[in-house]
Amino acid sequence: MIATLTLNPSLDYFMRLEALNVGRLNRAIETAVRPGGKGINVSRVLKRLGVDSRAFGFIGGFTGDFIRRFLAEEGISAEFTVLEGLTRINVKISADRETEMNGAPQPISQEDVERLLSVLGRLNAGDVFVMAGSVPASLPPDIYRRIIEKLPAGVKPVVDTSGRPLAEAIAARPYLIKPNRDELGQLFATDIQTVEETVLYAEKLLDEGVENVIVSLGADGALFMNREVALRASVPQGQIRSTVGSGDSLVAGFLAALEKGMAPAEAFRFGVAAGTATAFSDDLCTAEDVEKIWPRIALSTIREKRH
């Protein structure tokens, strides 16, 4: 089974404008409301790719109820821990430039964390557990590491976050992490400029005990590295509609392909296709979009097996 965790979910309100005029009345030409949060995005993309998952996290109030109902309508199983107050509302504005306004997260107590951990204790060896997204200010920055250390033996932790929460999680030697190039640079307090530098610092993560590393490079594609292979994927040109959820789609596509029995290299190519399809869409990718783009993703080998 694949499970996902979203500590800081949201109800996302999308607005498309002809132009954003600050300080004046703006009228949207198109709106949409969807659940937000990186773990939730992973579950939604997995479902579209024909793989079931179970979504965990914290929700509250009518906005939390909306998230629960929305996922249920998409056929996604969820077991959320309910908090006092409202799940935050984020506003995403698409105009001449993309603008985001994110609401404040709900406070989360240690008791709330213990309730979540008791539920996660039912995961089984072999399950893949995706922890994705930012950490609310009311939780310690090492929360992902603490969760990994309390997971049942044999669960494969996947971490997609940034900053100190990612650095702390790396100490627990996760199965997979997926930083982008900037986030990788932050881990080592450096500004990574080239693909060669990206490879160098990704190798350091393998030396620290991470089993698999995917680094998204935006228009430059992505890297996939473990002790067996080091690959670079190049992406086709196309119109970028929105980058929201692209990295989450890459993770979901990669895990979905592994779940279906693909070799890691081909699963990486499929994941990059999913991330690209989302970037070319107004919403998360569909299976049809991924199938069209998948053959257009080119792989090249950076190195062979490490010795």
Side-chain angles (χ1 to χ4, degrees), residues 128-187:
V128 175
F129 183 51
V130 183
M131 294 162 281
S134 60
V135 173
S138 57
L139 292 178
D142 64 350
I143 185 64
Y144 285 135
R145 176 178 62 79
R146 295 186 186 188
I147 291 173
I148 292 172
E149 291 171 348
K150 291 183 178 294
L151 290 174
V155 174
K156 299 178 179 179
V158 176
V159 182
D160 184 6
T161 187
S162 60
R164 187 176 167 191
L166 178 57
E168 291 281 355
I170 288 169
R173 301 189 171 193
Y175 171 71
L176 168 69
I177 65 170
K178 193 219 67 64
N180 60 35
R181 181 158 44 196
D182 290 340
E183 291 164 349
L184 178 62
Q186 290 168 13
L187 287 174

Side-chain angles (χ1 to χ4, degrees), residues 193-236:
Q193 296 289 336
T194 66
V195 172
E196 291 74 19
E197 290 174 338
T198 307
V199 171
L200 173 66
Y201 286 103
E203 293 275 12
K204 292 179 181 294
L205 295 177
L206 298 179
D207 291 335
E208 292 183 25
V210 179
E211 291 187 47
N212 300 278
V213 179
I214 295 177
V215 184
S216 52
L217 306 174
D220 292 329
L223 301 177
F224 171 58
M225 301 176 63
N226 58 27
R227 293 193 172 274
E228 302 297 321
V229 297
L231 303 171
R232 180 182 179 183
S234 300
V235 298

